[in-house]
Amino acid sequence: YVVNPGWAEIDTVGLLAASASERLDDDQSPSNSPTPMAVVVLDDDYSPPSGAYYFRQEVWSQVSGPRLVRTTRTDVDGDVVDDFPTMELRVRDPATANGRTRVQGLIAVLAQHTYPFALESPIRYQPAPNPNPQRFLRAWRFESLSQSIDYRRLTGHASGDPRWTPEVRAYFTQAPTDPRYRELAQRIVNQRLPQRLRSDPFAQALAIKLYLDHELIYSTRARHAGVPDPTADFLFGNRTGYCVHFAHSAVFLWRSLGIPSRISAGYHSDESNRRGGSTILLRGGDAHAWPELYVTGYGWIVLDIAAERNLDPPGQGTDE
């Protein structure tokens, strides 16, 4: 049940652009830049169960050919916003408070962003005075209901939201027609789970996550560009790539078993980066995409992929 934070680099320019999902098959490699992008100051002493902070900026849940993209529907993904707050701004579909704790904070950005972001799962944004106009471009405050429940307590629950229509559930479980996804997912579940857990959605998702941790290799050089299906080329090929490939693989495997899931994109920062304080510096290399699944009664849960092997050299540290 250990959930290690995943590698945290995708193309920062791509993340900030509206067409970020196209990074899946783009010729551009991810960024490992130490350039500061934003400063987060937490009001509350929050320690995430995963050991990492996830700052959600946008969500990709709609199948478009071989990739997931931002939805065109109005009845899903109501927990993200498209505009920077000029007054109090509440998300349309806030997370449940069950298994979560309230966290508030301030974000000030040093680079242009297309959308605002906040610690998962944000419920409210407010404009804030720029703390230093010579350094920061804009600032806002956020309030989130972030995960506090231990991952071990998420087994034994169904998946999906009882309020969803059958159409919405089908939307969040739509997967590629390639039969290899379900074949691999079912094989992992049968080999790694005892009989009593093989029909448990979270146990299934966790078994697949741990399999991917072991089998995938992190490398920003492996782009899988110029192929009809970058995820299939990655997962059923050399299994060498980066977070966008990892997240698509996890979601497509989960969805093939009927587990509602999606990809979120934004920033990832290890808890150790706080160094015991309240401030988190987000860098270009912290841009990240990760998979999430919906656990009944608890909402969207981050279950990131942490490849055990990394072919990239260590990135540069941030100048103090």
Side-chain angles (χ1 to χ4, degrees):
Y1 289 98
V2 175
V3 184
N4 296 317
W7 298 102
E9 298 90 3
I10 61 173
D11 175 18
T12 304
V13 175
L15 176 67
L16 306 183
S19 58
S21 53
E22 296 178 2
R23 297 306 107 180
L24 178 62
D25 57 358
D26 202 309
D27 283 333
Q28 303 217 2
S29 60
S31 166
N32 196 24
S33 169
T35 302
M37 302 295 287
V39 173
V40 181
V41 182
L42 299 181
D43 296 348
D44 305 283
D45 189 16
Y46 169 63
S47 181
S50 66
Y53 297 100
Y54 289 86
F55 295 91
R56 184 185 294 135
Q57 183 176 24
E58 59 176 318
V59 168
W60 310 335
S61 62
Q62 183 168 304
V63 174
S64 177
R67 66 175 68 83
L68 292 172
V69 298
R70 289 171 59 88
T71 188
T72 57
R73 300 172 62 115
T74 59
D75 58 346
V76 299
D77 298 337
D79 56 343
V80 291
V81 297
D82 293 336
D83 300 311
F84 292 96
T86 57
M87 61 182 67
E88 182 177 279
L89 182 62
R90 292 183 176 271
V91 302
R92 183 165 35 90
D93 187 16
T96 174
N98 193 29
R100 298 181 178 273
T101 187
R102 196 173 301 271
V103 184
Q104 300 182 72
L106 172 74
I107 295 176
V109 294
L110 298 101
Q112 292 286 355
H113 287 70
T114 305
Y115 307 108
F117 55 90
L119 187 66
E120 66 84 28
S121 295
I123 60 173
R124 182 170 61 93
Y125 294 80
Q126 282 184 306
N130 190 328
N132 184 347
Q134 293 183 328
R135 173 166 294 183
F136 300 106
L137 298 181
R138 68 167 73 224
W140 62 88
R141 293 191 57 80
F142 69 87
E143 180 179 355
S144 294
L145 289 173
S146 296
Q147 181 185 345
S148 59
I149 188 171
D150 188 276
Y151 281 93
R152 289 171 290 188
R153 294 176 56 196
L154 292 173
T155 56
H157 299 277
S159 63
D161 190 330
R163 300 173 299 172
W164 288 349
T165 64
E167 183 185 8
V168 169
R169 185 175 182 92
Y171 170 86
F172 281 119
T173 56
Q174 183 181 357
T177 56
D178 188 331
R180 292 178 295 176
Y181 287 103
R182 179 167 175 80
E183 291 169 1
L184 175 58
Q186 198 62 63
R187 185 165 71 249
I188 294 169
V189 166
N190 291 339
Q191 292 177 350
R192 289 178 169 251
L193 291 179
Q195 185 69 42
R196 63 183 179 84
L197 290 176
R198 289 180 186 172
S199 60
D200 186 294
F202 187 77
Q204 292 175 333
L206 183 59
I208 290 170
K209 171 259 190 305
L210 295 174
Y211 170 87
L212 295 177
D213 286 352
H214 181 69
E215 294 294 328
L216 303 186
I217 303 170
Y218 184 87
S219 173
T220 55
R221 294 179 179 272
R223 303 170 186 171
H224 301 277
V227 297
D229 188 340
T231 304
D233 187 69
F234 161 75
L235 182 61
F236 305 114
N238 64 8
R239 295 181 179 172
T240 302
Y242 42 92
C243 66
V244 174
H245 305 110
F246 296 177
H248 274 84
S249 297
V251 169
F252 287 162
L253 290 171
W254 294 344
R255 286 187 173 196
S256 75
L257 296 179
I259 301 172
S261 45
R262 67 183 189 182
I263 294 174
S264 280
Y267 291 101
H268 157 287
S269 181
D270 289 339
E271 187 175 9
S272 60
N273 292 335
R274 276 182 58 190
R275 303 183 186 180
S278 60
T279 303
I280 302 169
L281 175 67
L282 299 178
R283 304 159 301 173
D286 294 329
H288 189 43
W290 60 88
E292 301 177 347
L293 70 152
Y294 199 104
V295 179
T296 303
Y298 297 98
W300 291 107
I301 296 293
V302 176
L303 193 61
D304 205 357
I305 310 304
E308 296 174 4
R309 288 171 286 177
N310 182 5
L311 302 183
D312 281 12
Q316 293 178 293
T318 301
D319 187 289
E320 291 293 337

